[in-house]
Amino acid sequence: MITYEPVIGLEIHAQLQTVSKIFCGCSTAFGAPPNTNVCPVCLGFPGALPVLNRMAVDLGVRAALALGCRINEHSIFARKNYFYPDLPKGYQISQYERPLASEGVVEIDSGGRIGITRVHLEEDAGKSLHEGFADSDRKTYVDYNRSGTPLIEIVTEPDLRSAADAADFFARLRATLVWLGVNDGNMEEGSLRCDANVSVRPADAEALGTKAEVKNLNSFRFLQKALEYEIDRQIELLRGGGRVVQETRLWDAAAGETVSMRSKEEAHDYRYFPEPDLPPVVVSEAQVGSIRAAMPELPEVRRRRFTAAFGLPEYDAAQLTQSRAAAEFFERTVAAGAPPKSASNWIMGEVARALNESGRDLADPPLSPERLAGLIALVDRGTISGAIAKDVFEKMVGTGRSAEEIVAAEGLTQIDDESEIASLVDRVLAANAAAVAQYRGGRDATFGFLVGQVMKSAGGKANPKRVNELLRRALDAT
Ligand code: ADP
Ligand code: ZN
Ligand code: MG
């Protein structure tokens, strides 16, 4: 039986986080009442002229640089013509022959290098509303607030070889765009969208097979599932003696399958031509230089710095560079005096748990990095035990007080004093004669129980190491 290899290329649309639209001054805020953020330009009134938003260009360049692209000094806007009610001008202003940037590359976890064909600027369309009105069965409503929102389209080479790699690539791309402040990463609101092109070919073949394009993939999971489904469908088709037809398919999440939307014959002829109302976009080398200089350190670079400069394990460094907020929180905790590995453990442990419970993220942390460092210092100095520290942490999150205040106010300071612990040990041994006899009879497991009893009588505050030592000594003495 012939083995088939999947071949995948992605086309990703990302909304740029500008305050105003790409060719007019209207707000890009999400969720405004329908058709309130509109003007003659984004409604496509005849005679209204577009003016390019410089911020959109800067953000596009940022993204392209992070993807290792070459920035084209001159790029050209073009009209992409098609009719649809959410496209008031009857064409979308996009870039076609000369895009903003070309020829990038991104490395993924499996070690593959994924080529970036191009990054170009374009405007978004409005939104058709088919549901939610009393007369929805007869009418479609259109909201033009999104019309003219700046987008970049990122097109990859057909370099991905599995559904998992495609999902990994997309996740990494999302993290980078969010990290850079280019995109908000919100796939549910549609500010990040992905279409996947997929074909299969005999494992030893050079030539690419016929591809299908799958749309409507608004989560990593859907992207992966849709690709898995589509790869299997194409392989089965070929094994059954059929052939793949070039078409656009839609992912039906409820049914868990892709369904045909339109074939190549029905495909649009967009009649692209240069946009006469906009001059070429010029991005000089000097401008590229200053955009590059203003960019935050990229996730990959930071990850490497975390292992090299702080001696963190790979795993920790990867976790802590999932978001810029997490990376910054970690560095501030260390700057406030915490040992890097302790800071990392606390952030990936208790802090992550607190965030999960409250549904917040580190952009809005439950305590400051300086406060966390204060807590870690108390543990390191032996003022409180690790177990007590977790309780103190809870109280810090709940009350906003510092670790020192809580420990002082609640008398949680660790009991280190030998005579104090020794008298607790004596009392526990006297009260648990049976357990003591068992231990001395050879049942070592009883030891843990006795440690627990001493800790309990100390309200959890006794230094556990010292309790172990003194208990052992007392039990083995006679
Ligand atoms: P189209 O002419 O249909 O727009 P393009 O050549 O512009 O196709 O490619 C669009 C996307 O499809 C790119 O991401 C590209 O990598 C991918 N692609 C092209 N050919 C194939 C193929 N045979 N199998 C899988 N993906 C492909
Ligand atoms: Zn407008
Ligand atoms: Mg194309």
Side-chain angles (χ1 to χ4, degrees):
M1 198 158 58
I2 304 177
T3 311
Y4 286 94
E5 172 186 63
V7 173
I8 300 160
L10 302 180
E11 293 169 290
I12 290 143
H13 287 89
Q15 237 174 54
L16 300 172
Q17 292 203 82
T18 57
V19 176
S20 56
K21 294 185 179 179
I22 187 166
F23 300 124
C24 62
C26 292
S27 165
T28 53
F30 183 83
N35 299 309
T36 52
N37 292 333
V38 290
C39 75
V41 173
C42 55
L43 287 175
F45 286 11
L49 288 174
V51 177
L52 179 60
N53 179 346
R54 195 72 224 182
M55 192 62 200
V57 180
D58 283 11
L59 291 177
V61 169
R62 248 180 196 228
L65 288 174
L67 302 174
C69 290
R70 178 189 81 230
I71 309 300
N72 296 317
E73 188 163 358
H74 292 257
S75 63
I76 309 234
F77 281 110
R79 292 188 180 179
K80 179 179 181 177
N81 299 279
Y82 64 94
F83 174 77
Y84 204 74
D86 66 14
L87 191 72
K89 293 192 296 294
Y91 58 85
Q92 176 195 30
I93 302 178
S94 180
Q95 294 188 308
Y96 187 56
E97 273 173 10
R98 266 208 271 160
L100 181 70
S102 328
E103 292 173 344
V105 66
V106 170
E107 275 184 38
I108 56 171
D109 275 347
S110 65
R113 288 168 63 81
I114 310 308
I116 305 295
T117 315
R118 55 189 279 143
V119 176
H120 72 243
L121 292 165
E122 61 185 31
E123 59 177 338
D124 209 345
K127 207 163 134 190
S128 300
L129 308 168
H130 305 284
E131 286 161 29
F133 298 92
D135 51 1
S136 287
D137 56 331
R138 284 174 293 122
K139 289 184 183 162
T140 291
Y141 289 77
V142 189
D143 177 6
Y144 290 107
N145 282 348
R146 206 178 63 180
S147 169
T149 296
L151 304 177
I152 43 172
E153 177 172 344
I154 300 163
V155 182
T156 80
E157 290 291 301
D159 287 344
L160 293 153
R161 293 288 175 269
S162 74
D165 277 3
D168 174 43
F169 171 86
F170 188 36
R172 191 174 284 242
L173 179 69
R174 176 181 178 274
T176 301
L177 296 178
V178 172
W179 181 288
L180 291 171
V182 165
N183 178 265
D184 68 11
N186 195 326
M187 284 150 49
E188 269 160 38
E189 286 174 7
S191 35
L192 185 65
R193 314 193 282 266
C194 177
D195 300 332
N197 299 271
V198 53
S199 64
V200 299
R201 63 178 172 189
D204 56 356
E206 276 284 325
L208 296 180
T210 303
K211 72 176 162 77
E213 182 178 358
V214 187
K215 291 190 174 283
N216 197 25
L217 304 170
N218 59 0
S219 76
F220 302 117
R221 207 167 59 85
F222 288 169
L223 172 62
Q224 184 158 350
K225 287 212 166 295
L227 283 172
E228 282 165 358
Y229 177 89
E230 186 58 24
I231 290 164
D232 287 347
R233 187 189 69 87
Q234 292 186 12
I235 292 175
E236 267 178 42
L237 201 59
L238 294 176
R239 289 204 171 130
R243 55 181 198 91
V244 176
V245 295
Q246 188 168 336
E247 63 182 349
T248 304
R249 299 177 69 87
L250 263 190
W251 168 246
D252 180 340
E257 59 185 34
T258 65
V259 290
S260 182
M261 191 170 112
R262 62 176 123 85
S263 71
K264 195 185 179 186
E265 286 69 42
E266 303 160 75
H268 294 120
D269 170 7
Y270 293 118
R271 292 150 33 243
Y272 279 99
F273 65 88
E275 165 61 67
D277 291 341
L278 285 163
V281 185
V282 180
V283 186
S284 68
E285 249 176 71
Q287 281 168 318
V288 173
S290 68
I291 293 169
R292 197 192 290 277
M295 273 166 62
E297 187 182 28
L298 289 169
E300 292 305 311
V301 179
R302 205 158 194 173
R303 178 167 156 178
R304 267 178 267 130
R305 186 162 61 77
F306 278 8
T307 55
F310 297 121
L312 286 185
E314 281 292 339
Y315 176 83
D316 295 44
Q319 291 297 308
L320 292 172
T321 51
Q322 295 271 329
S323 76
R324 215 161 111 197
E328 235 110 81
F329 192 93
F330 166 74
E331 287 206 65
R332 278 178 55 194
T333 309
V334 173
K341 183 57 182 154
S342 309
S344 169
N345 290 346
W346 275 92
I347 293 168
M348 296 192 305
E350 296 307 302
V351 176
R353 185 165 333 158
L355 290 172
N356 266 341
E357 279 165 15
S358 61
R360 307 202 309 201
D361 64 45
L362 274 177
D364 173 26
L367 84 179
S368 71
E370 291 73 24
R371 286 269 157 101
L372 178 61
L375 174 63
I376 293 171
L378 291 184
V379 182
D380 284 352
R381 270 189 253 129
T383 309
I384 55 174
S385 68
I388 292 286
K390 289 189 179 176
D391 294 342
V392 174
F393 177 84
E394 291 286 319
K395 291 186 173 130
M396 292 170 77
V397 169
T399 63
R401 287 187 299 163
S402 74
E404 283 95 340
E405 279 177 74
I406 292 167
V407 169
E410 309 201 3
L412 297 173
T413 303
Q414 179 161 267
I415 303 167
D416 272 321
D417 183 70
E418 210 170 300
S419 61
E420 209 174 324
I421 295 176
S423 76
L424 291 173
V425 166
D426 288 344
R427 248 182 287 151
V428 165
L429 295 189
N432 293 278
V436 172
Q438 274 181 3
Y439 174 83
R440 290 190 174 139
R443 263 201 67 192
D444 214 47
T446 317
F447 187 71
F449 165 78
L450 291 168
V451 170
Q453 292 305 110
V454 177
M455 290 305 285
K456 198 169 149 198
S457 72
K461 292 181 293 180
N463 179 334
K465 201 166 147 246
R466 194 125 322 155
V467 170
N468 270 272
E469 286 163 11
L470 293 180
L471 190 60
R472 227 14 126 189
R473 204 187 296 163
L475 283 166
D476 294 346
T478 37

